[in-house]
Amino acid sequence: MIPNPNIPEVSIPSVIQNIPLQHYLILSTLLFVIGIIGVLTRRNAIIIFMSVELMLNAANLLLIAFSSYRSDPSGQVFVFFIMAVAAAEVAVGLAIIVMIYRNTRNTDIGFLNKLKW
Amino acid sequence: MYPIVLLSFFGIVTLFLGFSKSKNILLPATLLFLIIALAGNFLEWNKGPLLYFYDMLRVDNVTLAFNGIILLSAFMIFAISGGFQDNPDSEPAEYFGLMLFSLVGALMMVGFQHLIMLFIGVEILSVAMYVLTGSNKRNLRSNEAALKYFLMGAFATGFMLFGITLLYGATGSFKLEQIQGFASNMQVGSESYILYAGLLLLLIGMLFKVSAAPFHFWTPDVYEGAPTIFTTFMSTVVKTAGFAALFRLLSGSFTGVYGFWWIVIAAIAVLTLLVGNIGATSQNSFKRMLAYSGISHAGYLLIALTALSKPSQNAIIFYSLAYSLSTICAFGVLMLVSKEKTIGGQPNEYYDAFNGLAKQNPLLAFVLTVSMLSLAGIPLTAGFWGKFFIFTSAAERGIIWITVIAVLMSTVGIYYYFRVIISSYLKEGDLVKIRVAPFYKVILVLATFLTILFGLAPGIFEGLI
């Protein structure tokens, strides 16, 4: 690839390091907490599921930040694993939600009250 | 390491076997696969600590013992499933394939040395279990259980991942040894707080999976809604693997900060014992009672983790084995009895289904009685020694108060475990003679025999590990 002379050469880690690490920590913690609140307060299975994904992505973001600050690639490798596993979970989760929709015509978790003591 | 490779391969082979017209070959084939995996497991016995996959997996005798328990329980569960012949809607090849794959995840959790391995193991196990819980597609209860299990499991995964991330941020590594090195000589400062926060979040994630209170609320619903055979799998294999992973995590990398986490685990253990035992007394459904009993047994196992003294390791191994054997017996008898009568299209899983069991089916009643006695911790059964070893491990560390609470709670346990024994021996019922397949009978008798054998001679285990 021919480098473009108009763009100064900067590596991605150095771009990430322009922002202090604490900011990444605060941002991902906020995203994580928003995810938790979403899971606990929403009633629709798909939105709960989206909130869970938000929690996973908060972890991903923080992993990338830590990894580039430490110049250690293993954190970024972990992100790939998380993405692959999250994709598998999405496949299974949406299949379960579709199965429930077929039986109840609804994805509201308030409808799920067959099992109670 | 061999069983992980073998089972991954056999899982694929099982899926291909599903293409064949004859479904009769599936069950013998998977049982053979499991025997091969068990044999492969013990090939490495006493070979000392071996590291595989770039030091991400550790194989020592503790790993092999846990693997042995997991594979043995899986073998028994596969055998009593009877190849899912009685249900025309079932997909035996897929079920067996998924269970074999989930075993791979369980074995990875047992031997992990690297947090990536832990995460992948937990997920392989859980994702397979979500599918199996919902395998009864037309049944709303099964659907509901699957969705609850999935949402709660994914939620717990989120906690676990954020915890791992914070641990990585504090220590700069995912390896247990390096985390141990960092945690042992850490100064108080921002990094130590991040490490503590990460440890707590990771523990929350793991405790969700082993259904400890206050993260237990999904357990009764999921155990009740899932098809009974998969409930058995969940309450034995998943629980054993979860505790093996927790033990390895805490003993492998956080002994240096014991003072920080032991009180957290102790509080959770006490809460779990209270919730499990008191919840179980108010149940009318035997299956739901067993779910609460599973929660209370998680509490006993947590005591061994709290102590983390020398006898803890053997105590956890022995307890897991005793608990798995009795649980398989209890669910095995439940599956036979509940099929006899139905309530509103559901198999009758209430206590009154067992009324008069002993009159026509003395063997089943005996198997059920021994398993209940073992779960309650009555002497001359394996469960008694399991509890004994756990209390010894707590006493070794000098935590007596927790033992007192646990003994009190186990007397509460006698009440609800004996209810079903009373139903089957003393109450009148119209149960006819239940036909039991010979192989099914062999497994139930074998599990009962082992329960009594370990109850009479717990020393068989002592020198091994």
Side-chain angles (χ1 to χ4, degrees):
Chain A
M1 201 179 90
I2 305 152
N4 187 342
N6 298 326
I7 299 172
E9 246 191 76
V10 280
S11 63
I12 292 171
S14 70
V15 173
I16 290 176
Q17 285 172 12
N18 281 338
I19 302 170
L21 186 56
Q22 282 86 340
H23 293 200
Y24 286 105
L25 195 57
I26 293 166
L27 173 65
S28 352
T29 311
L30 276 178
L31 280 176
F32 186 71
V33 172
I34 292 171
I36 294 176
I37 294 172
V39 172
L40 296 180
T41 57
R42 291 308 190 112
R43 309 306 301 164
N44 187 313
I46 294 177
I47 295 184
I48 293 177
F49 193 30
M50 278 164 56
S51 309
V52 168
E53 292 297 310
L54 195 61
M55 289 165 69
L56 298 191
N57 283 327
N60 280 350
L61 181 66
L62 194 55
L63 268 174
I64 301 274
F66 281 138
S67 158
S68 28
Y69 263 84
R70 293 187 174 270
S71 315
D72 172 33
S74 63
Q76 292 170 41
V77 174
F78 198 178
V79 171
F80 279 112
F81 278 98
I82 296 178
M83 283 154 104
V85 167
E89 254 187 8
V90 167
V92 168
L94 287 181
I96 291 174
I97 293 175
V98 167
M99 175 176 81
I100 288 191
Y101 183 77
R102 276 197 189 139
N103 287 329
T104 64
R105 295 280 143 196
N106 207 322
T107 54
D108 192 294
I109 56 166
F111 265 70
L112 303 173
N113 51 11
K114 290 271 180 305
L115 301 166
K116 253 186 206 159
W117 65 323
Chain B
M1 191 262 319
Y2 296 118
I4 291 186
V5 178
L6 285 171
L7 286 173
S8 313
F9 173 70
F10 289 149
I12 297 168
V13 174
T14 311
L15 288 178
F16 275 104
L17 280 180
F19 285 132
S20 71
K21 282 255 165 48
S22 154
K23 300 289 181 208
N24 295 330
I25 192 176
L26 266 172
L27 181 63
T30 31
L31 289 180
L32 180 71
F33 293 158
L34 275 177
I35 290 173
I36 296 173
L38 254 174
N41 182 41
F42 287 107
L43 274 184
E44 289 168 307
W45 187 258
N46 273 341
K47 292 270 171 64
L50 302 165
L51 291 170
Y52 291 105
F53 306 128
Y54 300 94
D55 299 350
M56 286 165 88
L57 191 82
R58 179 188 161 100
V59 175
D60 50 23
N61 282 3
V62 181
T63 314
L64 294 179
F66 275 120
N67 285 357
I69 296 172
I70 288 173
L71 292 172
L72 179 72
S73 345
F75 179 84
M76 290 179 163
I77 294 166
F78 280 38
I80 61 175
S81 75
F84 303 97
Q85 298 283 10
D86 46 352
N87 184 357
D89 286 339
S90 62
E91 311 277 357
E94 280 83 346
Y95 299 165
F96 283 135
L98 277 172
M99 286 208 269
L100 288 177
F101 287 134
S102 69
L103 282 175
V104 175
L107 300 188
M108 282 163 74
M109 279 164 79
V110 170
F112 80 97
Q113 276 296 297
H114 194 284
L115 293 176
I116 290 187
M117 207 63 160
L118 172 69
F119 170 67
I120 300 287
V122 168
E123 283 305 299
I124 292 177
L125 184 61
S126 311
V127 170
M129 287 323 294
Y130 304 149
V131 180
L132 290 176
T133 307
S135 59
N136 202 346
K137 280 176 287 195
R138 304 252 183 289
N139 185 336
L140 264 183
R141 282 150 57 100
S142 176
N143 289 351
E144 181 181 337
L147 187 68
K148 275 186 183 163
Y149 193 22
F150 169 72
L151 289 178
M152 286 300 114
F155 189 46
T157 304
F159 278 99
M160 207 176 105
L161 273 180
F162 208 74
I164 291 176
T165 308
L166 290 180
L167 282 179
Y168 173 68
T171 63
S173 173
F174 292 115
K175 287 195 172 147
L176 287 193
E177 274 170 31
Q178 292 181 19
I179 296 176
Q180 169 81 308
F182 181 89
S184 312
N185 21 358
M186 164 177 74
Q187 312 295 325
V188 176
S190 62
E191 278 183 339
S192 74
Y193 296 129
I194 292 181
L195 182 113
Y196 289 153
L199 174 58
L200 281 183
L201 286 173
L202 179 52
L203 281 180
I204 289 177
M206 290 301 296
L207 290 171
F208 244 112
K209 302 279 175 194
V210 299
S211 66
F215 317 112
H216 68 284
F217 41 81
W218 56 271
T219 319
D221 291 352
V222 171
Y223 278 27
E224 193 188 354
T228 311
I229 187 82
F230 301 129
T231 311
T232 320
F233 195 80
M234 256 188 271
S235 59
T236 54
V237 170
V238 177
K239 198 152 274 185
T240 309
F243 273 99
L246 266 173
F247 175 72
R248 192 163 285 271
L249 181 74
L250 290 175
S251 69
S253 55
F254 294 107
T255 47
V257 289
Y258 179 77
F260 167 72
W261 59 259
W262 84 268
I263 190 73
V264 178
I265 299 279
I268 289 177
V270 170
L271 192 63
T272 309
L273 282 170
L274 289 172
V275 166
N277 282 300
I278 292 172
T281 51
S282 61
Q283 301 307 319
N284 285 319
S285 157
F286 182 64
K287 199 173 173 185
R288 215 170 159 84
M289 183 279 278
L290 281 177
Y292 274 100
S293 126
I295 298 174
S296 76
H297 287 286
Y300 293 114
L301 281 161
L302 281 174
I303 293 177
L305 278 180
T306 311
L308 209 68
S309 55
K310 224 169 180 192
S312 280
Q313 173 184 307
N314 282 355
I316 294 177
I317 293 172
F318 193 90
Y319 201 96
S320 311
L321 180 62
Y323 167 74
S324 300
L325 288 173
S326 335
T327 308
I328 290 170
C329 280
F331 277 116
V333 176
L334 171 71
M335 264 192 284
L336 287 173
V337 173
S338 65
K339 258 184 254 159
E340 291 297 306
K341 268 182 259 164
T342 53
I343 294 179
Q346 296 290 334
N348 183 1
E349 283 150 357
Y350 291 92
Y351 281 114
D352 53 21
F354 291 90
N355 283 355
L357 178 70
K359 201 169 279 172
Q360 295 289 331
N361 310 282
L363 178 74
L364 289 184
F366 176 70
V367 167
L368 186 67
T369 308
V370 171
S371 76
M372 286 298 115
L373 292 178
S374 176
L375 286 174
I378 305 293
L380 300 186
T381 55
F384 169 74
W385 290 106
K387 287 206 172 64
F388 179 79
F389 291 144
I390 283 194
F391 296 157
T392 318
S393 74
E396 186 105 335
R397 182 65 88 168
I399 320 172
I400 304 295
W401 58 272
I402 205 168
T403 318
V404 175
I405 296 175
V407 171
L408 281 177
M409 281 299 121
S410 64
T411 51
V412 174
I414 292 176
Y415 164 70
Y416 56 84
Y417 288 126
F418 275 51
R419 260 178 86 179
V420 69
I421 301 180
I422 290 168
S423 296
S424 55
Y425 278 97
L426 300 179
K427 290 200 175 149
E428 292 296 318
D430 50 353
L431 263 181
V432 290
K433 189 155 179 61
I434 300 171
R435 240 191 78 254
V436 189
F439 205 60
Y440 205 113
K441 215 178 263 176
V442 169
I443 294 293
L444 288 183
V445 170
L446 176 69
T448 311
F449 171 72
L450 286 177
T451 306
I452 296 173
L453 178 72
F454 289 132
L456 293 174
I460 299 177
F461 235 60
E462 217 41 23
L464 277 178
I465 303 150

